[in-house]
Amino acid sequence: MQIHSPIPELRLALMKRGRVVFVPTMGNLHAGHIALMTAARAHGDTVVASIFVNRLQFGPSDDFDLYPRTLKEDCEQLAAAGVDVLFAPTEGDLYPEPQQYHVEPPASQNQLDGEFRPGHFRGVATVVLKLFNIVQPQAALFGKKDYQQLMVLRNMTRQLALPIEIIGGETVRAADGLALSSRNGYLSAAERAEAPRLQRLLQHVSAAIRAGETDFARLERETSGELDRHGWKTDYVAVRRQADLQLPDTGGKQALVVLAASRLGPARLIDNLEIDAPDGR
């Protein structure tokens, strides 16, 4: 596996490498990231990963300084997964001067995660567009665990007419259902044992909707309350349309997704579960 930091060096290395498939990450890799790397192989000739902890997407109270940096271990995992090229820029490589041009997603960024992390998706969209311009891939993979992020980046790519196919990777889970996340490492043993409750409750919401429940606001309140009764601090539980993350149509029969974000101890955990429309509707 080749490893490059300077942008000109990376661009030279990617010349005449066929169809490039790109998987951006912030490092501290787990099996969910590696699943994306493995899936990427089916979509092109050269798999490129990046590792960069992007300051622009962290708010003042977020964990930028504490976010785990594990480059040596990450490189070993990427090489074992068959990644061809790793782009591991320094902050000076990617932001040699203060970033004064930004990508501003539409107002819909300010709902759900965007409501509780102001400016987060602005920072994500800006760095991803910059990475796209550097790597110039023909396809890029992002995990569905960050469902709203996937939608923001898919819409950005379409509206800016970027020649890049955006592919969503399924969420990888531990045996007890907890979605894998770099932030799971913040949990104590007791918190880790409690953490699967989030996915169990989303499964309960999904089952209720499949059984015909349409009072989504009640399901959201009850789920949030159940989490908080067990020591969580919930930002939101929301049932939305898969197509655009807007409120479901009244009486509509569309594909839905239930999303949640809640703090357990020092970790803010997010998860979601897709609820497909019944066949033939």
Side-chain angles (χ1 to χ4, degrees):
M1 181 178 72
Q2 297 182 21
I3 303 174
H4 301 284
S5 295
I7 293 172
E9 181 182 295
L10 175 77
R11 284 176 167 158
L12 183 62
L14 292 181
M15 292 179 64
K16 300 180 181 179
R17 293 296 294 260
R19 180 175 165 87
V20 172
V21 187
F22 182 39
V23 186
T25 82
M26 292 204 301
N28 194 223
L29 304 181
H30 52 66
H33 295 109
I34 300 306
L36 291 176
M37 308 297 167
T38 302
R41 178 60 60 192
H43 296 279
D45 305 300
T46 300
V47 176
V48 179
S50 68
I51 293 176
F52 181 71
V53 183
N54 176 42
R55 184 184 298 273
L56 295 186
Q57 70 193 67
F58 287 78
S61 61
D62 284 343
D63 56 348
F64 176 79
D65 291 325
L66 298 177
Y67 196 87
R69 275 79 164 173
T70 54
L71 183 60
K72 180 176 181 296
E73 296 82 354
D74 292 344
C75 288
E76 292 170 355
Q77 291 191 68
L78 293 174
V83 170
D84 299 299
V85 177
L86 170 63
F87 180 42
T90 66
E91 193 153 356
D93 290 320
L94 211 56
Y95 300 126
E97 57 186 270
Q99 188 72 27
Q100 296 179 323
Y101 290 82
H102 297 85
V103 177
E104 191 69 56
S108 59
Q109 72 169 309
N110 299 319
Q111 64 173 330
L112 302 174
D113 243 41
E115 178 182 351
F116 294 91
R117 302 185 70 187
H120 171 69
F121 291 115
R122 180 178 190 247
V124 169
T126 299
V127 76
V128 169
L129 181 60
K130 194 161 191 174
L131 290 168
F132 281 173
N133 285 332
I134 293 166
V135 177
Q136 298 188 9
Q138 283 71 55
L141 280 78
F142 298 89
K144 284 187 179 181
K145 182 178 74 70
D146 296 286
Y147 206 88
Q148 189 175 8
Q149 171 181 280
L150 175 61
M151 178 158 292
V152 166
L153 296 176
R154 183 170 276 151
N155 291 344
M156 176 190 78
T157 301
R158 184 186 68 254
Q159 292 203 0
L160 295 182
L162 302 179
I164 302 170
E165 178 186 6
I166 303 298
I167 301 163
E170 297 298 328
T171 301
V172 177
R173 301 182 180 279
D176 58 9
L178 178 64
L180 298 188
S181 169
S182 298
R183 290 183 170 92
N184 291 351
Y186 297 163
L187 300 170
S188 68
E191 290 161 349
R192 176 61 186 81
E194 167 64 22
R197 186 182 304 277
L198 180 60
Q199 174 59 196
R200 292 199 301 270
L201 289 174
L202 295 186
Q203 291 282 0
H204 175 76
V205 172
S206 173
I209 292 173
R210 292 178 191 276
E213 178 61 70
T214 57
D215 189 347
F216 303 136
R218 181 181 64 79
L219 289 174
E220 293 166 355
R221 289 193 305 272
E222 290 179 354
T223 304
S224 179
E226 183 68 11
L227 285 168
D228 291 349
R229 278 192 292 275
H230 287 86
W232 299 65
K233 295 180 180 178
T234 302
D235 286 345
Y236 63 84
V237 176
V239 178
R240 297 297 174 91
R241 296 190 304 235
Q242 285 184 31
D244 54 12
L245 293 186
Q246 297 305 301
L247 293 172
D249 298 330
T250 303
K253 298 173 182 177
Q254 64 267 293
L256 303 176
V257 58
V258 54
L259 312 101
S262 191
R263 292 187 181 275
L264 181 61
R268 184 178 188 271
L269 304 182
I270 64 172
D271 204 350
N272 63 79
L273 196 62
E274 292 180 319
I275 309 166
D276 291 335
D279 291 342
R281 297 184 181 180

